[in-house]
Amino acid sequence: MAVLRLFACACLLGLLHQVRGTPFGRDTNKETSYEDLTAFDVILAENEAAGLDLFEGDIQDSADQIRNAIQCTGRMWPKGQDGLVKIPYNITDGFTDEDVPALHRAFHEYAHKTCVDFFPVTSEHLDAYVSLEKSTSGCSSKFGNMKDGGQSLSLSASCIRRYGSVVHELMHAVGFKHEQARPDRDDYVTIVWGNIRDGKDNNFDKESEPVISTLDLPYDYGSVMHYSRTAFSTNGQDTIVPKVPDAQIGQRDQMSDLDALKINTLYGCGRTVTGAPTGTGLDMSANFVHLRADLDTTISCAFASGWCGYTQDTADDFDWSLNVLGEATPSGNTGPDHDHSTGEKAHGHFAFIEASSPRRDGDVAGLLSPISTARGPHCLKFYYHMYGEETGSLNLLYMDARSGAKNQIWSKSGEQGDLWVEARVDIDAQTDFQVMFEGVRGSGYHGDIGIDDVELVAGTCGSIHHCDFDVDFCGFQQLASDDLDWVRNTGHTPSATTGPDRDHTTGSSGHYIYVEASSQDRSDLGTLVSPEIPASTSGYCVTFWYHMYGRDTGFLRMRTVDRTGSDRLEFELIGEQGDLWKRADVFINPATDFRLHFQDYIGCYAYSDIGLDDIEWRAGRCDIV
Ligand SMILES: *[C@@H]1O[C@H](CO)[C@@H](O)[C@H](O)[C@H]1NC(C)=O
Ligand SMILES: [Ca+2]
Ligand SMILES: [Ca+2]
Ligand SMILES: [Zn+2]
């Protein structure tokens, strides 16, 4: 913290140096002319004249909708291929020929100083854009990306004339609140509560989360986002007094250098995240994200985009099929109705045998894997789905690739319920081999059998630690020092537009875990701690499935905390990832015995349920074969 303060002071001196001799700031006498007003002065005067009662004067959300500024990561704008943050805008009718150049000047300022790229909305971006509207009185903006079509940003003539006000409102839309709401502001300014008008105290609330809302950057008196000294004053006296004597607060001309740095830091451009325990970790550049789109390599196959080199046996009676994307198997009351990998019909495929006519009792379909050159102990895992009262059998055969000799190493017969079930089979190959899935049709058409997520990994099946959360927490515990808990849930979360529909393991009646975000608890972080895991010289591969759906989705982090207290951020993912389950594989290598910490940081709103399921760890790298 001392280091941070020093940095703050150094920066501040630089800033004051810059400021001296420029016209912004406040006169020593209280006679303020329009020319002296800061961006926020003009905005507030406008909004009060218009009788608008907005959150902190000019934000179009109610206080209970906004919990914190920058950390509402679900409200960030997406980055394009070019690494720029893309914010589409529309300049609606009503702006004059003088107004429009001021708007363009502001867009240029953002383009020049930051990685934010404001560009005219096209038909592809109608789901989220800023609708600039000319108002007769009043200036305000939504906070961050509402993902709600054209979100209004309203500007009056006075605000446009005070150019800094345009920059200010745009910065709300980018994702920032006011500078003096920072959690550390009491170190830099004194709020004079007695001078604040009745009922306006809550405009001086500060934020609670220490790390993210400051982005570890110095306090900025010169921010275009700072309130002016007399904001919401009842008597013309100061409501905010800087602790640095004579510091100018508020701004009217442009975004400050620190404003630009804040934007670039929030969006992870121009500053890299270190992964230090305090991680300001809002870098979107995926430093910590190790995602595997699918398992498609040799024997491992999620059937994400086809057969992964699997072929139909030619000596059998019929063929395996892939489901049509977006559809279940053709017959009712039998077979899987969704992909196991993603939990959704609309994403990914599974393989199945169709038991309907012309199939007859005992017909066999063989599905042959590519040839594997893996040697020694391996675990072959897969999920099968055997639902229907006339279900036959599923057999797994091991085949020596050279001699063609086959032997059955696993088998299941009869109905197992309308759910996906995991199977694990040890394989200890000394020669090249293939495996064959053999589906045997039962006594009638209610006998479709599905398979999905075939995976071959090094080591015996017994060396894989897996928690599916279907029965309990498998020894995972809540971290006592935070306030939110992970809970086990089956089916949908209570909020309809966020969270998973069902668990990942079974796709049915099993359980997954999530942090309930709709509670009144204002604490933001829920941490789940694994049992202690012994250090391994070969490190560990940790695999888990996450579901991050909901417009305000916050972040999911995985850290390792070892015996020495060393705390390392190993994985981080921010914001909505789609309404499906996705897989992460993360290689970790702590020096001493350690625990995994899974953290859900809730976004700003209720719509941010993050689901987690099928956490697995095994010694070795994350290779699949
Ligand atoms: C953009 O603004 C124009 C002018 O007001 C309006 O006609 C048009 O419908 C707007 N486009 C969108 C996508 O909002
Ligand atoms: Ca699949
Ligand atoms: Ca589960
Ligand atoms: Zn504002």
Side-chain angles (χ1 to χ4, degrees):
M1 200 57 193
V3 173
L4 190 67
R5 290 279 164 65
L6 280 179
F7 179 40
C9 290
C11 252
L12 188 68
L13 283 177
L15 214 82
L16 287 175
H17 183 71
Q18 257 186 325
V19 162
R20 207 161 287 138
T22 68
F24 76 76
R26 165 183 168 272
D27 286 350
T28 35
N29 65 32
K30 293 254 182 251
E31 299 284 312
T32 359
S33 68
Y34 176 81
E35 286 311 310
D36 300 313
L37 296 175
T38 67
F40 190 74
D41 280 323
V42 173
I43 292 165
L44 192 56
E46 279 288 292
N47 290 351
E48 301 212 314
L52 298 173
D53 186 19
L54 299 171
F55 179 76
E56 289 189 1
D58 69 331
I59 303 176
Q60 302 170 17
D61 295 86
S62 65
D64 64 337
Q65 283 179 306
I66 297 189
R67 305 230 322 263
N68 211 332
I70 295 163
Q71 70 212 56
C72 298
T73 48
R75 296 249 197 138
M76 288 170 77
W77 295 88
K79 267 192 192 170
Q81 297 286 334
D82 54 8
L84 299 178
V85 176
K86 298 293 179 184
I87 308 186
Y89 68 82
N90 190 32
I91 299 179
T92 60
D93 293 339
F95 290 99
T96 67
D97 288 351
E98 281 99 64
D99 296 337
V100 174
L103 302 179
H104 282 287
R105 182 181 154 202
F107 300 146
H108 283 138
E109 185 175 349
Y110 277 90
H112 183 64
K113 297 180 172 175
T114 77
C115 55
V116 171
D117 176 24
F118 283 100
F119 68 99
V121 65
T122 65
S123 56
E124 287 150 53
H125 301 96
L126 295 177
D127 49 334
Y129 64 98
V130 175
S131 178
L132 293 158
E133 284 150 21
K134 179 77 180 280
S135 70
T136 49
S137 185
C139 315
S140 58
S141 173
K142 299 280 187 183
F143 166 58
N145 179 357
M146 301 295 290
K147 300 174 189 167
D148 195 18
Q151 62 183 70
S152 84
L153 187 155
S154 118
L155 294 166
S156 70
S158 309
C159 287
I160 296 170
R161 192 148 73 91
R162 172 56 70 245
Y163 168 72
S165 306
V166 178
V167 177
H168 178 111
E169 296 305 343
L170 287 172
M171 205 160 151
H172 282 314
V174 169
F176 288 84
K177 275 185 18 183
H178 294 122
E179 184 72 1
Q180 81 294 325
R182 284 169 52 135
D184 58 351
R185 65 104 188 273
D186 292 333
D187 296 341
Y188 302 95
V189 294
T190 305
I191 306 296
V192 188
W193 297 100
N195 290 342
I196 298 170
R197 277 205 307 278
D198 284 354
K200 297 293 181 187
D201 284 10
N202 57 3
N203 288 326
F204 292 83
D205 288 349
K206 60 178 176 176
E207 309 302 343
S208 52
E209 224 285 337
V211 177
I212 295 167
S213 51
T214 68
L215 296 167
D216 265 358
L217 291 172
Y219 193 88
D220 184 11
Y221 292 111
S223 171
V224 77
M225 302 311 281
H226 208 299
Y227 276 8
S228 48
R229 281 183 181 249
T230 55
F232 302 100
S233 177
T234 186
N235 52 12
Q237 302 289 312
D238 290 355
T239 53
I240 303 180
V241 178
K243 294 198 167 176
V244 175
D246 300 328
Q248 312 264 1
I249 60 172
Q251 237 255 54
R252 41 172 267 179
D253 290 340
Q254 58 185 322
M255 71 175 74
S256 70
D257 290 351
L258 276 170
D259 285 333
L261 189 56
K262 277 184 284 185
I263 293 170
N264 290 336
T265 302
L266 174 65
Y267 283 97
C269 356
R271 213 182 87 133
T272 46
V273 171
T274 60
T278 53
T280 53
L282 289 173
D283 190 342
M284 302 285 274
S285 63
N287 289 10
F288 303 108
V289 181
H290 315 253
L291 305 178
R292 202 192 294 282
D294 52 59
L295 295 172
D296 301 348
T297 169
T298 321
I299 287 190
S300 299
C301 185
F303 304 101
S305 50
W307 290 105
C308 321
Y310 276 71
T311 51
Q312 306 289 345
D313 184 24
T314 47
D316 58 4
D317 307 307
F318 69 112
D319 287 345
W320 284 76
S321 312
L322 286 182
N323 67 309
V324 175
L325 199 62
E327 290 180 20
T329 61
S331 323
N333 298 322
T334 183
D337 72 353
H338 65 275
D339 175 45
H340 177 264
S341 320
T342 64
E344 299 295 323
K345 273 194 186 73
H347 300 275
H349 299 277
F350 54 86
F352 72 103
I353 58 162
E354 172 57 58
S356 298
S357 171
R359 300 282 72 85
R360 290 190 314 224
D361 198 353
D363 278 2
V364 172
L367 185 64
L368 198 57
S369 78
I371 295 172
S372 171
T373 56
R375 295 284 187 279
H378 280 76
C379 182
L380 179 71
K381 305 190 295 170
F382 60 97
Y383 283 83
Y384 60 89
H385 194 286
M386 297 173 76
Y387 167 57
E389 58 200 13
E390 295 146 335
T391 301
S393 305
L394 177 65
N395 306 320
L396 180 69
L397 310 183
Y398 175 92
M399 282 177 60
D400 184 303
R402 224 176 5 172
S403 69
K406 291 182 212 170
N407 63 304
Q408 184 172 307
I409 51 175
W410 180 94
S411 177
K412 195 66 111 181
S413 295
E415 172 160 13
Q416 306 295 319
D418 185 9
L419 76 177
W420 289 98
V421 183
E422 194 196 32
R424 295 176 181 208
V425 187
D426 281 305
I427 287 180
D428 190 359
Q430 306 309 324
T431 58
D432 293 358
F433 69 97
Q434 291 167 277
V435 294
M436 185 157 89
F437 288 94
E438 194 177 73
V440 185
R441 199 259 199 183
S443 55
Y445 77 91
H446 287 121
D448 294 352
I449 297 174
I451 58 169
D452 203 358
D453 291 332
V454 183
E455 186 182 354
L456 186 67
V457 297
T460 63
C461 294
S463 66
I464 301 173
H465 301 266
H466 181 124
C467 185
D468 59 20
F469 300 99
D470 288 347
V471 179
D472 59 19
F473 274 102
C474 327
F476 278 81
Q477 292 183 331
Q478 312 292 339
L479 187 71
S481 57
D482 60 20
D483 296 323
L484 291 184
D485 284 346
W486 288 80
V487 295
R488 287 175 59 245
N489 193 56
T490 184
H492 210 292
T493 63
S495 319
T497 52
T498 179
D501 296 332
R502 49 191 164 204
D503 98 305
H504 179 259
T505 322
T506 69
S508 171
S509 52
H511 288 69
Y512 59 91
I513 57 170
Y514 81 109
V515 173
E516 176 49 63
S518 311
S519 74
Q520 291 304 305
D521 196 325
R522 299 294 78 170
S523 174
D524 294 312
L525 206 59
T527 306
L528 191 71
V529 181
S530 77
E532 191 166 71
I533 302 172
S536 155
T537 48
S538 50
Y540 280 89
C541 178
V542 181
T543 297
F544 53 91
W545 290 82
Y546 59 86
H547 193 288
M548 294 172 74
Y549 170 62
R551 68 165 197 218
D552 303 311
T553 303
F555 64 62
L556 176 66
R557 283 177 173 169
M558 187 186 80
R559 327 180 75 99
T560 46
V561 180
D562 76 9
R563 280 251 169 123
T564 67
S566 164
D567 176 341
R568 203 182 134 83
L569 182 59
E570 306 276 7
F571 169 93
E572 176 176 70
L573 198 56
I574 300 171
E576 187 168 65
Q577 306 294 323
D579 187 8
L580 71 167
W581 286 100
K582 290 186 168 181
R583 171 186 171 114
D585 293 276
V586 186
F587 177 72
I588 58 171
N589 200 358
T592 63
D593 298 355
F594 66 97
R595 294 175 192 271
L596 301 169
H597 287 208
F598 287 91
Q599 299 184 314
D600 176 354
Y601 180 82
I602 289 171
C604 315
Y605 287 81
Y607 305 113
S608 71
D609 296 339
I610 297 178
L612 196 58
D613 203 0
D614 294 319
I615 300 176
E616 192 169 289
W617 62 93
R618 59 186 165 84
R621 306 201 69 89
C622 288
D623 304 328
I624 51 171
V625 287

